[in-house]
Amino acid sequence: MRIKHLLVLGALFAISCAAPVDNDIDLRVEELLQQMTLEEKIGQMNQVSGGLQFKDEIAKSNVGSILNVVDPVEINAVQRVAVEESRLGIPILVSRDVIHGFRTIFPIPIGLASTFNTDIVEQGARIAAIEATASGVRWTFSPMLDIARDPRWGRVAEGSGEDPYLDSQMGVAMVKGYQGEDLSDPTCMAACIKHFVGYGAAEGGRDYNTTMISERALRNVYFPAFKACVEAGALTLMTSFNDVDGLPSTGNDWLLRDILREEWGFDGMVVTDWNSSGEMVAHGFAEDLKDATRISINAGVDMDMMSFGYLQYVKALVEEGKLSEATIDNAVRNILRLKFRLGLFENPYVDESLARQVAYAPEHLAAAKQAAVESAILIQNNNNVLPLKDVKTILVTGPLADAPYEQLGTWAFDGEAEHTVTPLTALRKQYDVIYEPALDYSRDCDMSKFGAAFEAAKRAEAVVVFVGEEAILSGEAHSLSQLNLQGAQSELIAKMRSTGKPVVVVVIAGRPMTIERDLENCDAMLYSFHPGTMGGEALADLISGRAVPSGKLPMTFLRDAGQAPFYYNHPMTGRPNNGTETLLNDIPVRAGQTSLGCTSYYLDTGYGPLFPFGYGLSYTTFEYSNVTIDKVEYAEGETIVVEYDLKNSGEYDATEVAQLYVRDLVGSVVRPVKELKRFERVTLKAGESKHCRFELPVADLAYWNRDMEYVVEAGKFQLWVAGDSASGSALDFVVK
Ligand code: GLC
């Protein structure tokens, strides 16, 4: 025993000389680790989905974490088994996918990104943490940081779109919201940045599919948000299902050790995705589950979600010398450190009455409504049909007008539909509403009720059609090859157009749909990515003018799914589109063999997207002027001061999301045509002007170049300040 204490003292001395922070915690980790058997260490690395059904395993110290239990009574019962019946009493880490709210559901993350408002996103995450921790959940598998450039991929719903800067800003806001100021605060919930890495680049937009991403693209596009969240103190990270260039992320030591630990200094905990360790057998990257277990742990994974390989094989792998106990110790250190940081040893139980006290608190609902207001994007508003101000009677139709469950969107397990305020309910408070759903759900092809809606429209002054997607049609494993509105929804819009009344379409969906033909059949369109519990109130206020749209697109909207992947910050080609397209119907019959157009576009849809990243209209108009920079030549270390005047030249007080884009004209590798570098929400009264500014350190122009160095390359640059990625005039400057 004396040797053991000397070892402990030695380890403690080493720690006390090393880590400048968390000293006390690291000392406690070492002290506990020294007492643990190999079996108990392995148990900490095992995460199971469920609670008391694993009572015996928990009592035997075979479980370190559970997921998918949210009943505080059951969670306390599980904790009592761990704390009072297991040999060392190590508390269980309780986790859940709290992705955009727990009980009070906020817009789905792509909707939150549409707000371009980090404050409301952080507030939403804080509220989610307050409600979830009141149930006993102390770890959420959020934020999802996967850059998404292909709306065929159903999980675009869960991320922040196509831009690394927006993705980073939103991810950091969520990490701050979940984790709060003090990790031992019982309302703190550990964030989990996921899915590391490149999951959104799944070939063909097919979920779980292979990806081919160069190291440079990883570093310039897919890593930034993860790195920003690590720097913001994210406590955990989840590996992704996909492979990158043949290496499944769950078995990629370059990612999990060289980049995450060595380069970024991450000292948190790494968990697999659901059985993603075991799935390396299906990948053909591991012989069997035992081999997959060896690979994932040696690659740097600490905790196994639901493959059960760690519980089954780690002891044998250590005995066979295929895994070192030192490696196991390091994994368990990461797990124990997290539990100490969260204060679980001091405070493992939850007040069982708290959950219902905090759920749906008025201030939570108010924040969720504001987020839904700010997330809605005004796509079209011909003849300023919106807002419907001088209107008393409206026809409300469409399958999403009164769909309380669908409105919550994907990954809203704990939202309760009975608390949802639907657009129909909310509009009835502001208008005389005639309601004819006409379709029962978004995939409904039965047009037999269209006549009733058509007749009802005759008694209305305007028609509002709520279309989109049922919640199940986006999210995990829900890729689509076509992105048109499902069922007979487009036909319903066309039918309403034939009434001759003003037609407003509201799309409530989990992804950018291809809605070009629907735009031709309506006067105005609001796009609302599944807006959550208070979505109806938000949309009713936007329709009536009590609120004014300010949302902007976090993803490019396509004309056709065949254009995917399409994103604004694409690298320049040698034959950029120059507007001189020869389109399909321009081609003469029996045309001779020749190249047409000779630039990068489609004969059928032309070049451009339907709407660019950053696009969104308002009920007012904004005018940008006097965009200036303080110099034309900058040295490293300096800051570019960009000034501009913004005028609200319309009749509504409103908010504009001003965006700053930069282009590096010549690089040691081909550079993106534009990159978002800053954005800010500017609120102006009707007629008001404001002098605004961005400050952009030259250092923020750095990227990973041909030599794989993170540098600012001298040369010519351009910048734009505008209301979307396709507007504004370029200003030239040089970095020396
Ligand atoms: C799922 C998802 C992941 C989620 C996990 C736990 O398969 O890929 O995002 O956090 O399993 O539910």
Side-chain angles (χ1 to χ4, degrees):
M1 188 58 104
R2 181 170 163 66
I3 296 290
K4 193 169 230 185
H5 280 295
L6 286 174
L7 283 174
V8 171
L9 289 174
L12 299 184
F13 176 74
I15 290 277
S16 61
C17 302
V21 293
D22 283 343
N23 256 348
D24 172 53
I25 286 179
D26 283 339
L27 297 179
R28 296 174 73 188
V29 166
E30 286 313 308
E31 197 170 8
L32 179 53
L33 192 67
Q34 300 303 328
Q35 300 171 56
M36 296 171 75
T37 64
L38 176 58
E39 290 80 354
E40 288 166 333
K41 294 173 185 175
I42 295 165
Q44 287 300 306
M45 299 169 75
N46 181 41
Q47 180 184 58
V48 297
S49 176
L52 282 174
Q53 67 263 48
F54 293 100
K55 177 179 186 317
D56 296 340
E57 290 302 303
I58 292 167
K60 286 188 284 187
S61 305
N62 285 340
V63 177
S65 173
I66 66 172
L67 70 150
N68 296 332
V69 177
V70 293
D71 170 5
V73 174
E74 182 174 3
I75 287 173
N76 276 344
V78 165
Q79 282 296 16
R80 264 192 293 280
V81 173
V83 171
E84 298 170 15
E85 295 182 29
S86 76
R87 188 177 77 89
L88 291 171
I90 300 172
I92 294 286
L93 184 53
V94 180
S95 63
R96 182 66 162 176
D97 289 278
V98 183
I99 306 297
H100 52 108
F102 183 68
R103 296 295 183 201
T104 303
I105 300 298
F106 281 68
I108 55 175
I110 192 172
L112 292 171
S114 306
T115 67
F116 282 70
N117 183 346
T118 53
D119 293 338
I120 196 89
V121 170
E122 180 174 345
Q123 186 185 7
R126 182 88 297 267
I127 287 167
I130 289 166
E131 293 189 349
T133 56
S135 284
V137 174
R138 296 297 309 276
W139 180 22
T140 179
F141 301 124
S142 176
M144 176 189 166
L145 303 175
D146 303 310
I147 290 290
R149 297 168 154 178
D150 188 334
R152 294 174 297 177
W153 188 52
R155 302 199 77 168
V156 302
E158 303 167 54
S160 295
E162 67 194 41
D163 181 79
Y165 179 73
L166 179 62
D167 191 19
S168 302
Q169 295 291 307
M170 292 296 151
V172 167
M174 289 183 192
V175 168
K176 287 178 176 175
Y178 292 138
Q179 298 184 175
E181 299 297 323
D182 169 10
L183 297 181
S184 65
D185 175 341
T187 69
C188 155
M189 184 160 73
C192 182
I193 53 180
K194 73 182 187 182
H195 306 80
F196 194 57
V197 74
Y199 186 24
E203 208 164 77
R206 286 190 302 280
D207 206 352
Y208 316 116
N209 204 359
T210 185
T211 72
M212 184 56 75
I213 310 171
S214 70
E215 178 180 343
R216 187 175 297 109
L218 283 174
R219 288 183 177 279
N220 286 325
V221 177
Y222 294 90
F223 281 175
F226 285 93
K227 185 171 187 285
C229 287
V230 166
E231 288 164 356
L235 289 168
T236 73
L237 172 141
M238 181 186 290
T239 63
S240 62
F241 287 122
N242 59 288
D243 74 276
V244 179
D245 188 14
L247 293 178
S249 301
T250 307
N252 187 333
D253 57 327
W254 175 73
L255 282 180
L256 302 179
R257 292 198 186 283
D258 301 356
I259 298 295
L260 185 63
R261 302 285 184 185
E262 300 307 315
E263 207 169 299
W264 297 351
F266 180 63
D267 74 344
M269 190 261 276
V270 175
V271 65
T272 72
D273 199 340
W274 187 287
N275 186 35
S276 64
S277 175
E279 289 182 3
M280 290 193 286
V281 180
H283 273 288
F285 191 71
E287 289 292 335
D288 51 27
L289 182 54
K290 183 177 180 181
D291 192 30
T293 297
R294 174 188 62 79
I295 292 169
S296 59
I297 293 175
N298 277 332
V301 174
D302 301 315
M303 185 175 280
D304 169 26
M305 181 193 291
M306 289 302 286
S307 91
F308 299 102
Y310 289 28
L311 199 59
Q312 293 177 68
Y313 298 111
V314 169
K315 188 169 191 299
L317 287 164
V318 169
E319 288 162 355
E320 294 161 15
K322 292 177 181 172
L323 278 177
S324 74
E325 187 152 4
T327 301
I328 302 306
D329 285 353
N330 284 332
V332 177
R333 280 190 183 96
N334 293 331
I335 296 166
L336 295 179
R337 185 182 313 114
L338 176 59
K339 293 185 176 184
F340 277 116
R341 281 173 166 172
L342 292 173
L344 286 177
F345 287 85
E346 291 73 25
N347 187 19
Y349 302 112
V350 66
D351 170 353
E352 294 171 9
S353 67
L354 197 54
R356 281 299 163 196
Q357 291 171 33
V358 299
Y360 308 111
E363 63 274 20
H364 296 181
L365 295 175
K369 175 180 174 180
Q370 186 57 27
V373 165
E374 296 184 12
S375 70
I377 303 124
L378 182 61
I379 294 281
Q380 176 176 282
N381 195 19
N382 297 339
N383 311 313
N384 293 320
V385 160
L386 279 177
L388 296 179
K389 287 186 88 79
D390 308 321
V391 163
K392 188 172 169 45
T393 306
I394 61 173
L395 167 65
V396 170
T397 184
L400 273 296
D402 194 34
Y405 174 75
E406 310 306 346
Q407 182 177 313
L408 299 181
T410 187
W411 291 102
F413 292 126
D414 305 303
E416 294 158 317
E418 58 269 29
H419 287 269
T420 301
V421 180
T422 66
L424 177 65
T425 303
L427 285 168
R428 279 181 163 149
K429 297 177 192 169
Q430 299 192 36
Y431 296 94
D432 292 341
V433 170
I434 306 164
Y435 176 51
E436 287 290 348
L439 291 169
D440 184 28
Y441 57 104
S442 67
R443 289 165 290 154
D444 192 353
C445 296
D446 175 5
M447 295 192 264
S448 62
K449 304 188 189 85
F450 282 21
F454 182 86
E455 288 308 311
K458 292 176 180 172
R459 294 181 283 119
E461 297 164 82
V463 179
V464 187
V465 196
F466 289 88
V467 295
E469 289 185 302
E470 295 146 80
I472 194 66
L473 300 183
S474 61
E476 183 173 352
H478 298 142
S479 300
L480 287 170
S481 67
Q482 276 305 326
L483 298 171
N484 298 331
L485 289 174
Q486 301 284 346
Q489 296 184 104
S490 291
E491 288 75 7
L492 175 60
I493 294 168
K495 186 72 175 177
M496 291 302 101
R497 165 55 83 206
S498 70
T499 65
K501 298 293 175 82
V503 176
V504 173
V505 169
V506 180
V507 181
I508 295 178
R511 70 175 92 211
M513 311 292 291
T514 44
I515 41 105
E516 186 168 26
R517 61 176 177 159
D518 306 300
L519 287 169
E520 291 159 12
N521 286 327
C522 68
D523 299 287
M525 181 181 283
L526 269 172
Y527 212 94
S528 174
F529 293 110
H530 288 119
T533 303
M534 297 303 286
E537 292 274 4
L539 288 167
D541 282 2
L542 289 163
I543 289 166
S544 67
R546 289 182 183 178
V548 177
S550 60
K552 298 284 188 177
L553 298 182
M555 267 188 92
T556 300
F557 269 48
L558 309 181
R559 295 182 185 286
D560 185 287
Q563 292 180 291
F566 198 118
Y567 44 101
Y568 88 94
N569 45 0
H570 61 80
M572 183 48 85
T573 70
R575 292 198 175 187
N577 169 264
N578 57 18
T580 58
E581 303 148 359
T582 303
L583 297 178
L584 215 53
N585 297 331
D586 303 335
I587 301 172
V589 175
R590 282 179 283 286
Q593 183 56 54
T594 175
S595 300
L596 294 165
C598 298
T599 62
S600 177
Y601 77 103
Y602 298 95
L603 288 174
D604 48 0
T605 61
Y607 167 72
L610 184 59
F611 296 106
F613 173 87
Y615 171 85
L617 300 176
S618 174
Y619 293 155
T620 191
T621 48
F622 289 102
E623 291 169 7
Y624 290 80
S625 61
N626 306 321
V627 181
T628 61
I629 47 179
D630 57 334
K631 298 196 296 183
V632 288
E633 202 169 83
Y634 296 89
E636 283 242 39
E638 291 190 315
T639 293
I640 304 165
V641 178
V642 186
E643 297 185 79
Y644 66 98
D645 291 326
L646 184 63
K647 179 174 184 179
N648 175 344
S649 48
E651 298 157 14
Y652 291 87
D653 300 352
T655 298
E656 166 72 332
V657 177
Q659 301 151 50
L660 171 65
Y661 294 91
V662 171
R663 180 181 173 185
D664 179 353
L665 288 171
V666 178
S668 61
V669 295
V670 174
R671 306 286 289 117
V673 294
K674 261 182 195 181
E675 294 177 284
L676 180 71
K677 291 294 182 184
R678 290 291 184 273
F679 59 82
E680 64 175 345
R681 290 174 61 85
V682 183
T683 299
L684 296 172
K685 293 195 175 309
E688 183 186 1
S689 290
K690 184 177 179 186
H691 186 70
C692 310
R693 72 190 262 151
F694 288 116
E695 293 191 0
L696 181 66
V698 169
D700 283 15
L701 303 179
Y703 80 106
W704 291 86
N705 72 356
R706 180 172 185 165
D707 300 322
M708 214 54 87
E709 296 161 343
Y710 187 65
V711 293
V712 178
E713 292 181 331
K716 296 177 183 172
F717 288 77
Q718 290 179 320
L719 71 79
W720 296 257
V721 175
D724 65 57
S725 60
S727 300
S729 304
L731 274 183
D732 300 312
F733 66 96
V734 169
V735 172
K736 286 182 292 192

